Every structure is written in C-alpha cells, then in structure tokens.
Amino acid sequence: MHMQLLPNDKIITFDRKGSGPSNISLPRGKCVVDSKTTTDCSSHSVEFDPSRRSLRPLTITTDTWCSAGALLPDGVLIQSGGFGLGERVVRSLTPCADCDWVEQKNGLITSRWYASNQILPNGKIIVVGGLNQFNYEFIPKTSTSDQKLYQLPFLEETRYSPFVPNNLYPFLHLTPDGKLFIFANDRAILLDHVNNRVVKNYPAMPGGVSRNYPSTGSSVLLPLILSSNLNDNRPEAEVFICGGTVPDSNQKANAGVFVPASKSCGRLVITANNPSWKMEQMPLNRLMGDMILLPTGDVLIINGAAKGSAGWNVGREPVLNPVLYRPNLPVTAKTSRFEIMSPSPIPRVYHSTAHLLSDGRVLVGGSNPNSNYNFTAVYPTELSVEAFYPPYFSPNVSRPLISKINPGTNLEHMQKFSMHFHIHQWHEELGKIHVTMVAPSFTSHSYSMNQRLLVLSLDSEARKVGFSNYVVDVHAPATATLAPPGYYQLFVVHEGVPSKGTWVHIK
C-alpha cells in the first residue's frame, strides 16, 4: 500500500490493518490489542531486503491506510496520519537491525487521511490537506510555530464535491527557491510556507481532467539541471503531470459505468514568469499510474488502469505495459518521447506501488488490499512484488561502477568532491558523463512524495587515471532549497547508462 526506501537499502512496506490479520506473525509472540474484543498478533508493516529477498516483521498498532511519509535529514522515516485511530498519529522508524516503530498518538493537530508530505530546506516536514482538511501543519513539533494549524482555502476551492473531492493527496514539489508548488484537481498554486501566503496562482491544466485522488493521475518534478556557476542556484523547474480521468468518473464507476482514463500529460515550467501548460499524449490511457524518475532522468510510468476510477473494484482494464518517457528527446512527426515497454502479467491497480532501488531496478508491488485479503474480487488482493528492469539492464550494455568518493560520502552544500569510477569499454574516447543525485521517496496512491533528481554540475571533464578508470570533480548542490538535508543516491551516468547508486548524506 505504501513503500519507502531507507539509506540501508531496505524497503519499508505497509499493509492495511483494516484488512484483518495478515499471514506474517509479529516477533516473539507479540500481539496488539485493537479493541476490547480483538487481538491481532500479525504484522502490517515489514522491512524488506530486496538483495536477500528476506523480510523482518514490524509492529504497528494504528491503521496507516492512506497515510504519508518522508525521511528526516538523519534518515529516520517519519510517517503521518491514516484511518480511524491512526488519523492523528506520527510514527518514526530508525534504520537499524532491530529497530521498530515508535508511535506518537497525537503527533498531528488534526486528522490526516489522504494527506501529502514534503521535506523542507530546514529539515521539517510539511503535511498538507487530507479529507475535509483545508490546511497544513509541520512535523516534528519542536517549536511554537509547529503547534499551529495554517489555513489553505485553495484545497476547499479545488474540491469537486464533498462526496468526490478529486484533490486528495495533492501533488507537492519544492521549488529551487524553497517555495512549495501545490497541485490539486486541475489547478496549482505557489505557497510561501515560511510566511504562510500564496504568492502565485498557475493557469488551470487544460482538458477537463482531474488528476488527484480518486481520479488519480501522477506527477513528478523533472530533473533539476544545476549550473556550473555556483552563484546561480535557481535552475528552471518543470513539473510533469500525466493521466487521471474526468471529475465524475468515481460516481459513474460506483454505478457500473467505467469511463476511459485520460492519455493527456502536461508540462509546466513553474519558475517561469508567465508559465503555460504544454500538453502531450501518452500512447495508453492510464489512471493510478506511478511515475518514477530513473537515474538517467527519464520517467517510468507503470501500473494503473485504463478505465474507471481509483478505489476498490472500480478500476477496469489494467494497463500492463509500462511506458518510458524521455523528457529531453526532440519531438518530430516521426518520433515520440514515449516508448511502450514489455508488459507484466500481474495487474497493479488500486494501492499498487513502485520505487527506484539503488541498483537501478524499480520494485513494484501490491494492488487492491481488500478487506480480509479477498482473493476472489474482480481484482484480488495482490501480495507479490516484482522488479522492472529499465533498458539500461540490456545484456549488451556495460554499466559504469563508482569505486570511490573523495573526501567521503558525508557532504555539505557547495562542497566539491571527486568521484572515481570504472567503465569497461573498447573505445579510446570517453562518452558523455553525467552525475545525478536522487532523493528516495514515499510512494502511495500513484504519487512519490519527496521524489527529486538533480543533475550535478561538473568542475571539469572526466579524466583517465588508469586502465578504464576515471575521475570527475563534482559540486554538491549549493543550497538546502535545491537539496534539503538528508540522504541521496548518487549515480554516474555514461552515455545514458547509470551505475549502481552510492548513498551520500548532505548536512
């Protein structure tokens, strides 16, 4: 239902407590008393190790259904909100061999069901929206200003109706100057969260399509290309939003009428003085699709359905083919930025997830966590995970290998460091080199919160230091508004082929 990669390369996944007991027991006979009459001795959150294909049960006592999350600068996973008794809970998990969830029952001022999180330059997390919540707040609550609820009328204005909001899980993207782009339904604003005021209203996205839950499209901030001039720390920022469906599709689907999902995508330069949407068409209709930034800067669009709406058993025609989108590819009459990939045999619809792993694969899991693990529904509860291999895993492709980072993996903003890497190649001339830095995300409901990719500036061209060994001097991002403090995966990309990622930390 939710997925987050930790800096130890373990994936934290979440079930829904409302599904009933799971088939994974809590350790050492531990049990959780859910009510006066119900005791649950099963786990609803696990730590999964993709390299060993092993898991460790975790103890969670409140329902995380439709909640949110983010990594703090020290790598601790903060998880907020949920359903029922979980709607005001803030949970924390430290990445260590035997750590378990710690739950703060009233960590939020108000209930947060279908809210979104974003890590900020000061290391705080902003929590925005949720069902019937037209406001935001900050966690962890370590100062007086964190104890306040801040009103955001935009969330009420973008609600389609009280019964079908179409603006839940609003898309949040941190701009290079530290403001917050917020998209809900078909409109967006720029929020100055420091001074708590809206500083810009963006034009509505054309087409009459709703993009947020339950119409459920997806959104990414396209790669931020950093300048070699360290004084120029405000690169162009462009948002890319795809899929979704018409505003009343959920009502129609509940009545048995399944409307086709949209093929439309829009790009908006959110840092422009007079931004306007540039529309494109996907090759396949899709809602509930996950958009994942690959280390190359390309966008993977995976999972979802071609008709209906998000929600249990109201999506139809699973879209089994992922699509790869190359944002910098010139478009001509004979070319498209979209490429259809080979299909999976497993439908991944409501509550499916996807996450980039450090080795460059994309982990895909879940779908329809029905109550009591219903395996006979139209689209049954899906308990499997699988890996998608992007084209750079072709057997004929040689991938670079990061061998060393000097002076080390603990970095500061603006710091210059040297990356040593190995490329097995037969040509004398080294090809095009990029260094990318990816923030791990919390994925739920087709939206990867905190997902961010930066193309770092290079001090010089890569130079040879031995047989097939090279070194390149790189500048860390200049400010916390470009790269909030925390953990990132660092990749070297040679001729469009990335290495495995190396974890670095920015103070």
Side-chain angles (χ1 to χ4, degrees), residues 22-140:
S22 76
N23 201 34
I24 300 173
S25 297
L26 289 171
R28 296 180 293 278
K30 185 187 294 185
C31 295
V32 173
V33 179
D34 285 340
S35 67
K36 292 181 179 179
T37 58
T38 304
T39 300
D40 188 357
C41 302
S42 62
S43 176
H44 296 279
S45 174
V46 301
E47 178 189 82
F48 175 61
D49 185 339
S51 63
R52 297 184 178 183
R53 302 190 181 192
S54 62
L55 60 84
R56 182 171 69 93
L58 301 172
T59 309
I60 207 157
T61 66
T62 54
D63 199 347
T64 61
W65 180 26
C66 305
S67 54
L71 284 186
L72 288 177
D74 60 1
V76 171
L77 173 56
I78 294 291
Q79 213 272 333
S80 64
F83 181 67
L85 297 178
E87 63 186 8
R88 288 186 58 195
V89 177
V90 172
R91 310 166 189 88
S92 62
L93 178 69
T94 301
C96 77
D98 58 356
C99 291
D100 209 338
W101 285 104
V102 175
E103 299 180 73
Q104 184 183 359
K105 299 296 184 183
N106 294 307
L108 295 166
I109 297 171
T110 190
S111 62
R112 299 290 178 189
W113 193 34
Y114 297 95
S116 296
N117 285 180
Q118 172 65 49
I119 188 74
L120 297 174
N122 63 359
K124 289 282 185 180
I125 297 166
I126 188 170
V127 187
V128 180
L131 184 65
N132 297 321
Q133 296 297 334
F134 315 119
N135 50 60
Y136 60 95
E137 60 182 293
F138 301 95
I139 55 173

Side-chain angles (χ1 to χ4, degrees), residues 458-463 471-473:
L458 307 183
D459 195 51
S460 60
E461 292 185 0
R463 55 192 183 275
V471 63
V472 64
D473 296 323

